[in-house]
């Protein structure tokens, strides 16, 4: 069965600083990989996804993620964080029509 | 893009009563919908897969008699929490995949926060 690990439960960055959120997965083959964002009390919004092809994928709101097969990672990055980016971020893996979420990383942005 | 809507967004009920949460796909037909549960500051856990016209498939450890799922039409799935207790208080989120969509993306509802007193 697949699993997803987000090592950082909380991350605080200053507005304008760069951001990287870590995600590691465990699965026998190449899975479909996703990053979602959740604002308090809200559902999930898809930021980006990787199915195949170019390992660097661009998403909405200036986010990007890089799939590294050798490291079983799919880290999310943003060059300059905005205060509105403060939210909970979930990495997810889909295999066999089942979506498995990581534990989430709460991002806080300092002014 | 495809939209999934849940209702109600918040519900408070007394212990022992039953609560129904609706999940609708607004502009596509979904033969399969998924129900997740999210405890405070935790991740989403898949509870069950709702299949139109047939029985839902429940994940291990989820009580099917406690969490009744009905997928009576291609645009509506309902989750009924029966004889609710305070430990059932949680954030419930549904999702559905547009079978006609090119990306296979799962679309999520806004979530429903249940508080059982």
């Amino acid at each position: 069965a697949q699993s997803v690990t987000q090592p950082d439960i909380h991350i605080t960055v200053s507005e304008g600083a760069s951001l990287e959120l870590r995600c590691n997965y465990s699965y026998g083959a190449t899975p479909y990989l996703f990053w979602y964002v959740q604002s308090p009390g809200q559902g999930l919004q898809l930021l980006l996804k990787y199915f195949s092809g170019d390992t660097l994928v661009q998403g909405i709101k200036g986010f990007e993620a890089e799939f590294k097969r050798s490291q079983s990672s799919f880290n999310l990055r943003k060059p300059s964080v905005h205060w509105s980016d403060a939210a909970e971020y979930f990495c997810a893996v889909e295999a066999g029509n089942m979506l498995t979420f990581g534990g989430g990383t709460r991002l806080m942005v300092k002014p | 893009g495809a939209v999934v809507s849940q209702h109600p967004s918040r519900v408070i009920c007394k212990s022992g009563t039953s609560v129904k949460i609706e999940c609708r796909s607004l502009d596509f037909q979904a033969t399969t919908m998924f129900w997740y549960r999210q405890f405070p500051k935790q991740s989403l856990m898949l509870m069950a897969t709702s299949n139109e016209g047939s029985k839902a498939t429940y994940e291990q450890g989820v009580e099917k008699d406690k969490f009744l799922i009905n997928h009576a039409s291609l645009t509506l799935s309902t989750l009924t929490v029966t004889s609710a207790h305070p430990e059932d208080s949680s954030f419930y989120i549904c999702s559905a995949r547009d079978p006609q969509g090119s990306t296979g993306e799962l679309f999520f509802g806004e979530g429903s926060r249940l508080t059982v007193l």
Side-chain angles (χ1 to χ4, degrees):
Chain A
Q2 66 268 28
S3 65
V4 185
T5 302
Q6 292 180 244
D8 305 303
I9 298 176
H10 294 99
I11 282 186
T12 300
V13 299
S14 298
E15 190 169 16
S18 63
L19 170 71
E20 182 169 34
L21 302 183
R22 296 184 291 166
C23 172
N24 292 96
Y25 69 90
S26 173
Y27 182 60
T30 300
Y32 295 162
L33 298 159
F34 305 82
W35 273 99
Y36 290 90
V37 60
Q38 184 183 35
S39 297
Q42 301 292 314
L44 276 70
Q45 181 181 23
L46 180 67
L47 286 176
L48 47 78
K49 59 186 180 288
Y50 172 78
F51 287 171
S52 64
D54 192 347
T55 56
L56 183 64
V57 293
Q58 302 297 320
I60 62 171
K61 303 184 179 185
F63 286 93
E64 67 176 27
E66 186 171 13
F67 168 58
K68 293 186 177 179
R69 184 189 307 274
S70 61
Q71 299 177 18
S72 296
S73 69
F74 188 57
N75 294 349
L76 181 71
R77 300 193 294 250
K78 186 170 184 177
S80 178
V81 170
H82 188 262
W83 64 266
S84 60
D85 293 324
E88 186 89 20
Y89 291 80
F90 293 97
C91 180
V93 166
E94 182 175 353
N97 202 36
M98 181 173 174
L99 194 64
T100 302
F101 288 89
T105 298
R106 180 167 298 277
L107 173 66
M108 290 171 279
V109 181
K110 294 189 298 185
Chain B
V3 177
V4 174
S5 179
Q6 282 182 244
H7 178 80
S9 57
R10 293 178 181 272
V11 56
I12 301 173
C13 69
K14 293 182 179 180
S15 186
T17 62
S18 294
V19 174
K20 180 185 288 186
I21 301 170
E22 295 184 345
C23 178
R24 294 181 183 274
S25 55
L26 297 185
D27 53 3
F28 65 98
Q29 294 182 331
T31 56
T32 302
M33 292 185 175
F34 303 91
W35 286 96
Y36 295 84
R37 181 174 183 176
Q38 185 180 30
F39 290 103
K41 300 184 179 181
Q42 294 189 28
S43 187
L44 285 77
M45 301 299 295
L46 180 64
M47 298 175 64
T49 302
S50 172
N51 304 299
E52 189 270 334
S54 64
K55 293 182 179 180
T57 305
Y58 290 81
E59 296 301 304
Q60 191 173 11
V62 178
E63 300 176 62
K64 59 182 66 177
D65 295 330
K66 157 71 78 174
F67 299 100
L68 299 179
I69 291 173
N70 185 294
H71 195 149
S73 78
L74 288 171
T75 60
L76 174 64
S77 175
T78 60
L79 168 68
T80 301
V81 183
T82 63
S83 186
H85 288 91
E87 58 265 30
D88 299 323
S89 299
S90 192
F91 195 56
Y92 294 89
I93 304 177
C94 71
S95 70
R97 180 178 283 112
D98 180 357
Q100 302 300 320
S102 59
T103 65
E105 177 183 344
L106 267 177
F107 295 94
F108 286 83
E110 312 94 325
S112 300
R113 182 165 301 284
L114 170 63
T115 302
V116 185
L117 303 177

